[in-house]
Amino acid sequence: MPEIVNFGRNVHFTPGEYHEPADEQALLEILSRHAAAKIRVIGSLHAWSDAVVTPGCLLNMKRFQSIEIRQIEGQAFVTAGAGCQVKQLLAALQQRGLTLPSVGLISEQTIAGATATGTHGSGKHSLAHYLSAVRVACFAGENGAAAIVDIEEGDDLRAARCSLGCLGVVVAVTLPCVPQYQVAEKATACNNLAEVLALEERSPLQQFFLFPHAWKYYAQERAQVNEPKSWSEPLYRAYWFLGIDIGLHLLVKTAAAWLKSPRMIRFLFRSLIPLFLFTRWRVVGRSDQMLIMEHELFRHLELEAFVPDRNLPMATELVRVIVQQADGSQGDAPEEWMRRFAEAGLAEKFAALKGTFVHHYPICIRKVLQDDTLISMASGEEAAWYAISFITYVQPRDRFFAMATFLAEALALYCEGRIHWGKWFPFDAQQVARCYPQAEKFLEITRRYDPCGVFRNDFVEKVLPRAAS
């Protein structure tokens, strides 16, 4: 049996069995044979958590790539097979003048994997929020037999939208489409967070970056517009691909991974990279081209933390304190934060970070609207969340893990932070329980679809143990 390795090469495992079912009948037969064993499903492997790991049976749904577009009462809907990649789905919709209601930064994931972990873009809900139906192979048949179930409403649907694979094997998902639209984009330099957030009224789809070491913000302003494509759009796409997707990442890898030069890293963010951001260049292009980056070109590892919008100012202040402590550029940390760390018993961990890791990638921040799900990162009563992303290109990663673990713990403690299910995930069950008040309801629903825990692996048992309910 070949070893399975994820994109980031931080997850390695060898399943006991590996299957690629060709159709629903073959899938049900596999489930029936493994009703007393363990089953997990593989997507594109573009995730960093252990959600896919299993010593048991591993399923690859890559043969389930059907795409069906239909009209229901004047609204276009698409039903896509679980193994269909987001980029394939976008291409098929474009042929009909349509697109997805939310487009994430990367399009390599399968649609089932993207929704099951809460993948999101910026300025809208996560992709999972829009699912109107989820078709699942599970053990909800008579006497717990394997069966295909269509989940279309209520809390069951909210659980199935972002399920971590705990209800069963997703066969297909259905979601509404929207007419293809144009997006205007430009870069804007900002001195502080308030200036960035003030841009949201005119650029609701924007994402923005906090540059470490310079501690300045750069907004990638984005807004839906009713304008034709700019004549310079092909040139802009070439500039972005060669200058940012490739050039920026080569500079970062050279400084951080190959030369291991803190001085060069600081120079990049304080002086060099800002020269390549053309703040007067406004471009209009098609949404699925403007909203996606080629982030998969260079191998990396990522932690992403979500905080409620009201806590974003404190979160960005906390991020700066921790990153500066780790890179050793900070003298004494602010007295208020030192007091808070001491009261929480974190003072020694914070002190141990001093001078251990120089962060070497822009900190990306994206707004995600409230999801109608039970356990996606933007679920709950908050109107909006901000996802704060930390990426490393350096190996070994032990020092990044130490900083990222402290970041995750501190953001959870002080800013109600949640960690993306598909990114590197340092939380345990106790921390998860504090984050997700509807986790108990989610677990109750999973028991009906998977009464014997066939679809639960060690990762799920660690973060969502059944005993917690």
Side-chain angles (χ1 to χ4, degrees), residues 180-239:
Q180 182 60 267
Y181 59 93
Q182 301 286 88
V183 169
E185 175 174 308
K186 72 178 293 291
T188 302
C190 299
N191 292 314
N192 53 57
L193 180 63
E195 289 184 11
V196 178
L197 297 182
L199 298 174
E200 285 186 351
E201 184 174 355
R202 75 183 189 197
S203 300
L205 302 181
Q206 75 175 10
Q207 59 185 12
F208 57 95
F209 301 87
L210 175 57
F211 277 19
H213 316 300
W215 300 111
K216 292 184 178 179
Y217 291 89
Y218 290 86
Q220 194 174 357
E221 288 196 69
R222 290 167 167 172
Q224 182 174 341
V225 295
N226 186 23
E227 301 177 31
K229 182 175 78 172
S230 301
W231 68 266
S232 63
E233 190 270 348
L235 182 62
Y236 182 79
R237 301 276 9 118
Y239 146 75

Side-chain angles (χ1 to χ4, degrees), residues 2 28 333:
L28 288 176

Side-chain angles (χ1 to χ4, degrees), residues 37-196:
K38 293 292 184 180
I39 300 173
R40 292 297 284 179
V41 182
I42 191 173
S44 65
L45 288 173
H46 203 96
W48 294 268
S49 73
D50 289 332
V52 69
V53 176
T54 180
C57 176
L58 184 67
L59 300 182
N60 190 328
M61 298 292 286
K62 68 179 185 180
R63 297 189 183 183
F64 288 71
Q65 295 191 16
S66 62
I67 297 174
E68 179 189 356
I69 303 170
R70 62 189 187 279
Q71 293 283 329
I72 302 177
E73 297 181 354
Q75 168 68 58
F77 284 83
V78 61
T79 297
C84 180
Q85 286 184 287
V86 173
K87 63 183 181 182
Q88 296 172 317
L89 182 53
L90 288 171
L93 291 175
Q94 166 58 21
Q95 293 178 0
R96 301 278 291 271
L98 301 169
T99 191
L100 296 174
S102 179
V103 179
L105 187 67
I106 297 175
S107 60
E108 298 299 310
Q109 310 103 312
T110 63
I111 188 65
T115 53
T117 55
T119 289
H120 61 95
S122 184
K124 295 190 177 183
H125 309 277
S126 74
L127 197 54
H129 167 88
Y130 297 96
L131 298 188
S132 60
V134 182
R135 188 168 175 84
V136 179
C138 59
F139 292 99
E142 187 176 350
N143 298 320
I148 302 289
V149 177
D150 290 304
I151 305 174
E152 299 178 330
E153 61 183 3
D155 286 337
D156 286 23
L157 178 58
R158 295 183 185 95
R161 283 171 173 161
C162 178
S163 67
L164 303 182
C166 293
L167 272 71
V169 180
V170 174
V171 175
V173 300
T174 300
L175 68 164
C177 312
V178 298
Q180 182 60 267
Y181 59 93
Q182 301 286 88
V183 169
E185 175 174 308
K186 72 178 293 291
T188 302
C190 299
N191 292 314
N192 53 57
L193 180 63
E195 289 184 11
V196 178

Side-chain angles (χ1 to χ4, degrees), residues 7-57:
F7 165 79
R9 292 188 178 172
N10 66 301
V11 175
H12 302 250
F13 70 100
T14 301
E17 295 184 30
Y18 174 87
H19 297 282
E20 297 177 2
D23 52 36
E24 292 185 0
Q25 184 58 42
L27 175 59
L28 288 176
E29 289 173 1
I30 294 171
L31 264 60
S32 296
R33 292 199 307 269
H34 294 82
K38 293 292 184 180
I39 300 173
R40 292 297 284 179
V41 182
I42 191 173
S44 65
L45 288 173
H46 203 96
W48 294 268
S49 73
D50 289 332
V52 69
V53 176
T54 180
C57 176

